[in-house]
Every structure is written in C-alpha cells, then in structure tokens.
Amino acid sequence: MSTLNFTFANIVLYTQMTLEEINLLKEAKKGQDRFTHPDFYNIDDLLYEEHLLVRDSVRNYVKRELSPIIEACAENNYFPSHIIKQLGEVGCFGPQIPAEYGGGGLDYISYGIAMQELERCDSGIRSTASVQGSLVMYPIHKFGSEEQKHKFLPKLASGDMLGCFGLTEPDHGSDPSGMTTHFKEDGDHIILNGAKMWISNAPQADIAVVWAKNEEGIIHGIIVERGMDGFSTPTTHGKWSLRASITGELVFDNVRIPKSNILPGVSGLKGPLTCLNSARYGISWGAIGAAMDCYESARRYAAERKQFGKPIGGFQLQQKKLAEMLTEITKAQLICWRLGNLMNVGKATPAQISLAKRNSVEMAINVAREARQMHGGMGITGEYPIMRHMMNLESVVTYEGTHDIHLLILGMEITGENAFT
Ligand code: TGC
Ligand code: FAD
C-alpha cells in the first residue's frame, strides 16, 4: 500500500466524507481497479451484444466512480448518496422495466449482469439498485395504476427519486404473513399504523412501497411518500455488514394516505413475494460478482506474494483453493445464465430462483473465506476487498429470504410437504 493511500484513508477515517474528499480519493486511486472477470467456460459467447454493452458500461462506471471510494465508504459507514443519480444515468435502476416508463427496456440477463457488476464492487451498492429496480419500480410497474406508473417510474429510473420496500417487521421476518402493520379506510384516504424494520434505503428514500393489512386482514401494497404526517424513517446503526448502504425503519403513526396510493393490481402475500422473485434473481447474479472479485484478488495475490522463495500460487494447497473457487463460480454462472433465459420467457419458478439465490450466496461466502486465507494477514485489511465482501455477504445470505428458508422452499418443491409450519 502506498503512503498516499494511507494518507487518504486517514482523512476519511475521522472526518465526514465530503464531495471534495471523494474526488481526492478518486484521483489518488484512479486506474487501480484491475478487475477482469473469470470466464472459464466461455459464457461470454452465450451473451448478446447488448449484454456485453451493459456489462462494459457498468464495469467502467464502477472502476471510475466507485472502486476508488468504496473501501473508505464502508470503513466510515457512509452511504455515498451522490451516486443515486449516477446509477440512474448508467441505467442500473430498472433495466428490465419498459423504456416507456423510463426503464432500460432490456431483458433479465442484462439486469442480472448489471447487478453482478455492481456487487463485484459492493453488495451494498447492488442493494441500493436492486431495491430500486426490483422492489420499488417492479411492483409499481406490475401492480400500479397508469397514474402511479407515470408519476413515479421515470423519476425512480433516473435517480431523481429513491425508493424502499417495507415488508419485514420487528416480529415478522421470515414469516411476513403475520405482519401487524395495518390500515383502515377514512373517506378517500386510508390511515396507516405500524412499523417496518431492516429497510434498505429507508432513511433517504423519497417513497416507500409498504405492505400492510386492511381491516379484513388482506395484504395490500401502498406507496407512502416522504413528508406525509406521521411517517418517519429512523436509521439503523451499528451494522458490521453493508456499511456503504443505508438501512432503517419505517414508522407509521396514523399516516393519512390518499387511496390512490394503493397499488390496485394485487392483494395478498403473493404481491410482495412476486417482487421478491425478481430481486432474488438479481442477487443470484450479484453474489457471483462478489465471488469473482475475491477470486481475482486471490489469483493476483498468489502470483505476486512470495514465500519459501517462490510465489504462493506455486504451492498445491493454494492451487486447490483457486481451482475450487473457479469451479464453483463457473457452476453458478451457468445456473444464472439459464435462469435468466427462463425469466425472459416467464418460465422461471420461485423454487428455481430459490436454488440460484441460495447457491450463489453460499458459493460467494465460501469463495470469500478461502480468498481471505490466501491473502494471509493482508486479507483482513481494507487494502483488499475480501473482508468487506465477507461481511456484506452475511447480510445477503439473510435478506430476501434466509438460506434456510430457501432450502425449505426447495424441500417443499421436491417433496410436496410444507416444513415451514
Ligand atoms: P404461502 O402460503 O406459501 O404463499 C402465500 C401466497 O403467495 C404465493 N407465493 C408466491 N407468489 C409469487 N412468488 C413467490 N415466490 C411466492 N411464494 C408464495 C402463494 O402461491 C400464495 O398465493 P395465494 O394466491 O394462494 O394466496 O406463504 P407462507 O406464509 O407459507 O410463506 C412462504 C414463505 C416462507 C416462503 C415466504 O413467506 C417467504 O419467502 N419468506 C421469506 C421472507 C423474505 O424473503 N423477506 C424478504 C424481505 S425484503 C428484503 O429482504 C429486501 S433486502 C433487499 C436488498 O437490500 O437487496
Ligand atoms: P427470522 O425470521 O427471525 O429468522 C431467524 C432464524 O430462524 C433464521 O436463521 C431463519 O432461517 C430461521 N427460521 C425462521 N423460520 C424458520 C423455519 N420455519 N424453519 C427453520 N428455520 C427458520 N426487509 C425488507 O422488507 N426490506 C428491505 O429492504 C430489507 N433490507 C434488509 C437489509 C439488511 C442489511 C438486512 C440484514 C435485512 C433486510 N431486510 C429487509 C430484512 C430481511 O429480509 C430479514 O432479515 C429476513 O427475511 C429474515 O428475517 P429476520 O431477520 O426477522 O429473521
């Protein structure tokens, strides 16, 4: 690590990150991101030109704007909100949403690749984008009125607006059907009460897509807008994971909301779970990005680091680690490519998505752990991305359905028996 890097790390460690400091970091670390992706089975040959264009443009953006600052953001628990507009400009918000509403009009492979490139940088950055695209834009597009679509989607796509998705509650995580957040009718308005917890983007979100029960106990999606009386979004502190992403609560204290903010196209738990299919699919690609970054870092380190008079990559034990990482990454790449094609023709089942999310995230955690060991002591420092990815992936394995919940979804698909309850 150069002295210059230490200097900049110290600046951001004890002070707020200002735009000026961010620009200094970008200048100091310009061109240092040397990432190239592993493609052992020539999967690039299966991709169309538009997929490669998406990949290159997101990758170039990441290298230029994000890689130089991400370690400092995570270290400082700082959400770089200036990137919201940039992510919109580069097309990371809702690439799969039709262009007439401001989305990219692209297919699900393009969406997956964009998430992969973002998570290659950091799971928290991918979180911001996948919540916006799959959990806010997707439900408004799929279940919203024309008025809602025209009012919100273009601004969400461009990054002029940030959204969040409120399903989880303090007492209902894996079992969202038990939610207690509720609303009652009041003329042409509803009155919303309750609270959501662990909500990505919440403290800075302009709108929240919130799932709540009506007086008959039926779940509906409601667009809650910042500034509505009784609506607050306190920040969640003390995270050792996803530190470059912002998480919070949604608190509703008699919030009066026009009925026109209810999503008219769906009722019941299948509403939020349908959105989760899209987001979980994106994560299955995203986690591969984190694994690729760890693998590439370990591969380079093994070539550069010498012990006992030769590069550590020349020892069989280190080769075994690299060979197994590459094998698992390649298997996950093929699963996601196939799943993307099923998504494109509307044939992907929730259980297939569970398999991919579960497999990719576990694979990425294992790759990160092995890569960490290969870096020796250096692996615990912010000089390499490994420890940050490892800590991030501990959230990714939990949110959007825990590892065990996805196993139970698969178990039910295989046996026909419900082991949840
Ligand atoms: P169950 O009785 O099985 O189903 C209720 C209704 O939903 C339908 N359904 C689905 N529909 C679409 N897609 C799916 N994946 C679906 N799964 C179920 C089902 O057919 C039924 O429809 P209907 O018409 O008969 O009413 O529901 P259950 O209460 O037994 O729960 C099933 C279970 C446990 C699998 C589900 O609740 C679940 O997936 N739990 C995990 C919760 C979860 O994933 N939460 C995520 C919160 S959001 C988040 O974490 C964002 S992090 C974002 C980031 O930062 O990147
Ligand atoms: P619990 O449901 O209490 O689970 C605890 C443990 O019990 C887990 O290991 C689980 O697998 C296990 N378990 C539960 N039920 C069973 C069962 N039937 N059989 C066997 N084991 C079981 N939610 C949102 O709505 N929006 C967001 O934007 C969002 N962002 C998040 C961001 C972060 C950083 C994190 C950490 C979470 C986020 N979540 C979000 C919440 C996330 O979806 C939940 O944490 C997750 O669904 C698990 O719920 P829980 O934490 O309440 O755990």
Side-chain angles (χ1 to χ4, degrees), residues 79 81 83-89 91-97 101-103 111 115 118 123-142 152-166 199-202 204-209 245-246 275 278-279 399-400:
F79 173 55
S81 54
I83 70 166
I84 296 168
K85 192 82 182 106
Q86 295 173 356
L87 287 170
E89 280 160 10
C92 288
F93 290 154
Q96 81 289 16
I97 299 291
Y101 297 112
Y111 172 56
M115 296 305 110
L118 291 181
S123 304
I125 304 293
R126 194 270 307 135
S127 254
T128 301
S130 55
V131 167
Q132 182 96 332
S134 279
L135 297 179
V136 180
M137 295 175 71
Y138 178 90
I140 294 175
H141 177 251
K142 190 162 177 71
F152 296 111
L153 291 178
K155 286 185 182 161
L156 289 162
S158 63
D160 287 314
M161 225 180 215
L162 184 68
C164 67
F165 176 88
I199 308 303
S200 303
N201 295 353
Q204 297 201 14
D206 300 289
I207 61 167
V209 170
S245 147
I246 191 155
C275 309
S278 173
Y399 65 33
E400 304 268 8

Side-chain angles (χ1 to χ4, degrees), residues 123-124 126-131 135 165-168 172-178 198-201 242 245 267-277 279-280 283 349-351 353-354 395-396 398-402 405-406 408-409 412 418 420-421:
S123 304
R126 194 270 307 135
S127 254
T128 301
S130 55
V131 167
L135 297 179
F165 176 88
L167 179 64
T168 305
H172 299 96
S174 298
D175 177 20
S177 70
W198 290 118
I199 308 303
S200 303
N201 295 353
L242 294 189
S245 147
S267 61
L269 191 59
K270 66 175 178 294
L273 292 180
T274 301
C275 309
L276 289 175
N277 292 336
R280 290 167 176 172
I283 288 177
T349 66
I353 295 168
S354 286
S395 286
V396 183
T398 289
Y399 65 33
E400 304 268 8
T402 68
I405 289 296
H406 288 295
L408 295 177
I409 291 171
M412 188 161 74
N418 179 343
F420 291 108
T421 49

Side-chain angles (χ1 to χ4, degrees), residues 373-403:
Q373 288 197 46
M374 287 187 66
H375 286 73
M378 288 310 289
I380 69 156
T381 71
E383 181 73 355
Y384 295 91
I386 318 294
M387 202 70 187
R388 179 169 49 79
H389 282 308
M390 266 179 76
M391 294 194 299
N392 284 343
L393 288 163
E394 290 296 334
S395 286
V396 183
V397 78
T398 289
Y399 65 33
E400 304 268 8
T402 68
H403 199 60

Side-chain angles (χ1 to χ4, degrees), residues 1-10 12 21-34 62-73 75 382-385 388:
M1 187 178 187
S2 71
T3 318
L4 195 62
N5 287 346
F6 269 119
T7 308
F8 282 109
N10 287 338
V12 293
E21 285 159 352
I22 285 168
N23 286 333
L24 283 171
L25 268 176
K26 279 199 316 208
E27 197 49 40
K29 298 200 168 192
K30 199 171 168 181
Q32 285 185 13
D33 181 352
R34 293 183 282 155
V62 163
K63 285 188 174 182
R64 192 179 64 246
E65 301 290 334
L66 297 180
S67 301
I69 65 168
I70 191 63
E71 210 63 56
C73 290
E75 195 176 337
E383 181 73 355
Y384 295 91
R388 179 169 49 79

